[in-house]
Amino acid sequence: MARLYEYEGKEIFKKLGIPVPEGEVVTTAEDARKAAEKLGKAVVIKAQVWAGGRGKSGAVRFADTPEEAARVAEDILGMEVKGLEVKRVLVEEKLDIAREFYTGIIIDSARDVKAPVLMFSAEGGVDIESVPEDKIAMFAVDVLRGIQPYDTLNMALSAGVGSKNLRPIGDIIYKLYNVFKSYDCRTVEINPLVLTTDGKVYAADCRMAIDDAAVFRHPELGITIGREFLGEPTEFDLMAWTFEEEDFRGTSYVAQMVSESEMKKGDYIGYHGIGGGAAILGVDALNKVDLKAADYADTSGNPTASKVYRVAKIIFAQPGIKGYFLAGFMMANQEQWHHAHGIVKALREEIPKKPGFPVVLLLCGNKEKESQEILKEGLKDLPGRIEIYDREHVYDAKFIGGRVKTLVDEYRKEKGL
Ligand code: GDP
Ligand code: MN
């Protein structure tokens, strides 16, 4: 899911008629001061990161004067929230809250639903997971029929909203569905939806994610990669994405797990898994022997040798990695010789530059015999510490992890690392 920041989602809300507090996004304390001055009242300053629970982490704070706004922004900018660095803050007019509601839309893929589901609760402002289900009004949308204004009014009514606030709240839920549809969302959520003491309703927060497959329909959003990422994609991630963008045969998924400066410090391994669940098994195998994955890569769905090659090459481009691990912990039904060819080509280019470099390859499944031959023949004269395993060890994560560890320890000793 390609996520949007709160401020980006709120711009969309504004465009489609959902009321949001006035404000602007800034990157410096000085600009936060100016923004607060322009608003001319008490403000709320909110870290713009893809993480919930900012309120509890001290990443949503208030200021009464422009000077205080600058100080608070100074504090929040650069802080880490759930591992994400804050590079922008949203400075908004502070709302005088009378009540907090929740509304959101998800796609429920359960067999008996398979539809977008509208949700509304009069108990907002807290984690929606902690709200008992009978306090949440739900409405599964028949996408051919769409929704009618009375559907959302009924939702608000059944959740206990009084007659005075029924219309503005129903109207926002109705418009939220329009946002959801117009932007091909996977989810969109307002928590809290705020009723102010002077009787107005605003979307005080916004979480929104676009369906990966629909990202191309919304170039105006400037999403670089139509995939879920923890933070903003790094240069490495962007480069790896070009393999996918140009070639839809099989999939490659590559993401960096830590910053490159961090990578140089610890025992990080260039990690190349095959197939989602199996790839996680490989990461576990590393963690159990106190090694860490520098990246998470997965080539599956019968990718071409060229795609596998490019993934292996970019894994090797990471500075300071102490080994390369191909973790094929599955009897893959893709034709593994494409992997074998791609890996051989990459290693033949990389290993001569790194004598003694640890390489553990586990590859099995369809065309296994041929793949093993390609690997053994293609790599036999290389100056690395290369070990190749087949189906005999496919369920033996402990053994394979142990081999990586042994080779890395030897290499470290030899190189004085
Ligand atoms: P989250 O914790 O990451 O979901 O961030 P929110 O945007 O939801 O903010 C957290 C909490 O801060 C909300 O639940 C509100 O209680 C409070 N808050 C946010 N904006 C305002 C505001 O304008 N006025 C007041 N009084 N409280 C606010
Ligand atoms: Mn929130």
Side-chain angles (χ1 to χ4, degrees):
M1 290 196 284
R3 283 189 275 186
L4 299 187
Y5 288 105
E6 176 189 5
Y7 75 91
E8 295 172 314
K10 280 178 166 171
E11 279 163 22
I12 291 173
F13 282 179
K14 204 167 160 182
K15 211 180 311 173
L16 296 191
I18 296 175
V20 293
E22 231 185 294
E24 64 184 287
V25 68
V26 299
T27 57
T28 64
E30 174 54 20
D31 284 347
R33 194 189 60 75
K34 284 186 197 151
E37 201 166 58
K38 220 186 299 171
L39 289 168
K41 45 180 132 170
V43 295
V44 55
I45 296 162
K46 311 176 76 179
Q48 297 299 287
V49 283
W50 290 333
R54 290 166 304 167
K56 283 178 218 145
S57 326
V60 173
R61 286 169 56 191
F62 307 102
D64 288 329
T65 64
E67 287 65 38
E68 195 185 354
R71 278 199 300 278
V72 170
E74 182 82 50
D75 282 352
I76 296 181
L77 285 163
M79 82 183 256
E80 268 199 9
V81 184
K82 298 190 176 153
L84 300 167
E85 190 195 337
V86 181
K87 294 181 185 148
R88 303 180 196 85
V89 291
L90 181 60
V91 181
E92 281 184 338
E93 60 178 316
K94 180 180 172 186
L95 303 173
D96 228 344
I97 298 181
R99 281 187 74 180
E100 295 182 309
F101 306 101
Y102 167 93
T103 181
I105 305 173
I106 53 154
I107 293 178
D108 188 340
S109 52
R111 197 163 61 140
D112 55 346
V113 187
K114 281 193 177 162
V117 175
L118 272 52
M119 296 180 293
F120 176 84
S121 174
E123 306 203 351
V126 293
D127 246 357
I128 192 64
E129 284 81 11
S130 67
V131 176
E133 208 170 307
D134 63 343
K135 298 270 172 127
I136 306 173
M138 298 199 203
F139 182 84
V141 182
D142 171 344
V143 289
L144 295 178
R145 169 186 174 270
I147 60 169
Q148 298 297 325
Y150 58 80
D151 293 324
T152 59
L153 287 173
N154 282 337
M155 280 178 74
L157 191 65
S158 72
V161 173
S163 58
K164 209 165 74 195
N165 301 313
L166 216 46
R167 189 156 289 283
I169 287 176
D171 187 50
I172 286 175
I173 307 172
Y174 186 77
K175 284 174 174 161
L176 193 66
Y177 183 68
N178 189 28
V179 168
F180 180 85
K181 223 175 118 198
S182 308
Y183 284 85
D184 299 303
C185 296
R186 286 293 306 207
T187 64
V188 57
E189 194 178 68
I190 303 174
N191 190 24
L193 178 68
V194 161
L195 172 68
T196 59
T197 46
D198 57 358
K200 298 200 180 95
V201 184
Y202 293 94
D205 191 10
C206 168
R207 291 185 74 167
M208 186 165 163
I210 312 294
D211 190 325
D212 293 351
V215 162
F216 78 98
R217 294 179 7 138
H218 305 284
E220 75 281 9
L221 298 177
I223 296 169
T224 47
I225 301 181
R227 263 182 191 169
E228 175 132 12
F229 273 86
L230 286 178
E232 267 173 69
T234 62
E235 201 184 333
F236 173 97
D237 298 329
L238 291 168
M239 229 183 283
W241 174 245
T242 63
F243 314 159
E244 278 299 79
E245 226 179 2
E246 297 164 7
D247 186 349
F248 290 99
R249 297 169 296 175
T251 56
S252 72
Y253 181 94
V254 189
Q256 221 155 15
M257 303 291 285
V258 289
S259 69
E260 296 196 346
S261 56
E262 176 63 33
M263 210 177 278
K264 288 181 199 156
K265 289 184 235 153
D267 283 340
Y268 285 95
I269 303 301
Y271 184 71
H272 190 160
I274 301 176
I280 289 171
L281 201 69
V283 174
D284 268 354
L286 287 179
N287 291 343
K288 288 210 167 107
V289 292
D290 295 325
L291 297 172
K292 286 167 273 186
D295 59 276
Y296 181 86
D298 169 12
T299 42
S300 47
N302 219 22
T304 57
S306 72
K307 197 175 246 186
V308 174
Y309 163 75
R310 294 164 97 188
V311 168
K313 284 289 277 188
I314 201 168
I315 291 172
F316 268 92
Q318 299 176 106
I321 53 167
K322 296 199 174 75
Y324 169 83
F325 178 23
L326 178 74
F329 282 104
M330 59 168 354
M331 302 295 282
N333 61 8
Q334 60 189 4
E335 296 187 327
Q336 297 291 45
W337 51 20
H338 302 308
H339 269 74
H341 282 300
I343 300 290
V344 165
K345 182 167 160 59
L347 293 182
R348 293 202 68 79
E349 290 170 8
E350 296 298 326
I351 297 303
K353 296 186 254 174
K354 295 176 185 283
F357 195 71
V359 172
V360 173
L361 310 173
L362 171 65
L363 191 65
C364 38
N366 195 10
K367 297 282 188 284
E368 175 171 333
K369 202 163 128 282
E370 294 86 341
S371 305
Q372 289 284 325
E373 266 169 41
I374 292 163
L375 290 176
K376 283 176 187 148
E377 187 58 27
L379 303 173
K380 68 178 179 204
D381 57 342
L382 289 183
R385 285 189 163 75
I386 304 176
E387 296 190 357
I388 305 168
Y389 295 98
D390 60 13
R391 68 175 63 199
E392 198 192 325
H393 292 288
V394 67
Y395 299 127
D396 210 352
K398 200 171 163 198
F399 168 79
I400 296 285
R403 290 314 302 157
V404 181
K405 175 73 170 166
T406 303
L407 299 189
V408 169
D409 285 347
E410 280 176 24
Y411 178 69
R412 249 200 330 225
K413 218 157 141 197
E414 180 184 298
K415 304 282 169 193
L417 295 167

